[in-house]
Amino acid sequence: VGMGERRVLNARAMPYNAVTWWAYGLAFEVRAKTSPVLITALETCAVSRYGDGSRPIECTVHICEGPLDLRLSQRHAWIEAGRGFLTHRQASRIELANSVQVRPDVSHCIYIATDHVGSGKGVAFGAPMPVGVSSENSDLQIFAGHFSTRFDDFSDGGWYPFNGKLEYNMAQGT
């Protein structure tokens, strides 16, 4: 599978310096529309109760194939896709160790989480919204997801949108 030109789905509905929602982690679903894509990186930010000047927060990005509602309870289905740092209310880019192919007929889930439970710091996301698509372009759709207080404890009420960017390439030769 070759790589085409770099593209970005900007799902940032709120400026990073103004985001008010955060938690240990956020899991959300992505779907390619008509052609396979290779997700290579994501951008978002952290929020820390300690404010500006706090240290960047370590985070891990996990991925899995399948719909979010089935995968939240299946911790063994998730694999680590990347590691990095999120900065308080500033754009922070996490490059994936290996690009993740998302085909039009198969949902994929992305889970970005800090490495510290109960620390007063976390991954930023948007305000609650109705279930469904939270952002899209001609290639990809992002669906609102669930926040977590640890890897095996996800919210089960409201739906929360990813607030950031997904970088990807169109898959070539598939």
Side-chain angles (χ1 to χ4, degrees):
V1 176
M3 303 245 298
E5 70 180 72
R6 181 180 161 271
R7 298 183 183 190
V8 175
L9 170 49
N10 186 348
R12 205 176 90 172
M14 178 174 279
Y16 293 138
N17 65 358
V19 73
T20 57
W21 293 82
W22 76 91
Y24 168 79
L26 179 73
F28 58 95
E29 193 171 321
V30 296
R31 292 184 197 155
K33 285 190 169 180
T34 58
S35 299
V37 302
L38 300 169
I39 298 174
T40 58
L42 62 80
E43 176 191 291
T44 190
C45 74
V47 175
S48 171
R49 69 177 176 193
Y50 306 109
D52 293 335
S54 58
R55 291 183 179 185
I57 300 164
E58 292 178 78
C59 71
T60 306
V61 177
H62 300 270
I63 58 100
C64 69
E65 190 174 286
L68 186 63
D69 60 343
L70 294 178
R71 294 304 190 192
L72 288 180
S73 64
Q74 299 175 336
R75 185 172 180 167
H76 67 278
W78 298 83
I79 60 168
E80 185 176 307
R83 297 182 74 62
F85 293 88
L86 298 177
T87 303
H88 175 70
R89 298 188 192 279
Q90 294 179 26
S92 306
R93 185 176 180 274
I94 308 296
E95 191 166 328
L96 302 184
N98 295 298
S99 56
V100 176
Q101 184 175 23
V102 179
R103 297 181 313 276
D105 56 341
V106 179
S107 295
H108 273 73
C109 300
I110 298 175
Y111 178 47
I112 180 168
T114 62
D115 292 351
H116 305 285
V117 175
S119 64
K121 310 172 211 174
V123 177
F125 48 87
M129 63 172 286
V131 64
V133 175
S134 62
S135 189
E136 67 182 322
N137 64 14
S138 59
D139 304 319
L140 268 176
Q141 293 179 312
I142 298 176
F143 293 79
H146 293 290
F147 70 83
S148 65
T149 57
R150 61 179 190 269
F151 202 125
D152 59 353
D153 184 27
F154 289 91
S155 62
D156 59 4
W159 294 86
Y160 299 85
F162 171 67
N163 190 65
K165 298 177 182 178
L166 288 182
E167 293 181 19
Y168 64 97
N169 297 305
M170 300 305 293
Q172 304 294 314
T174 55

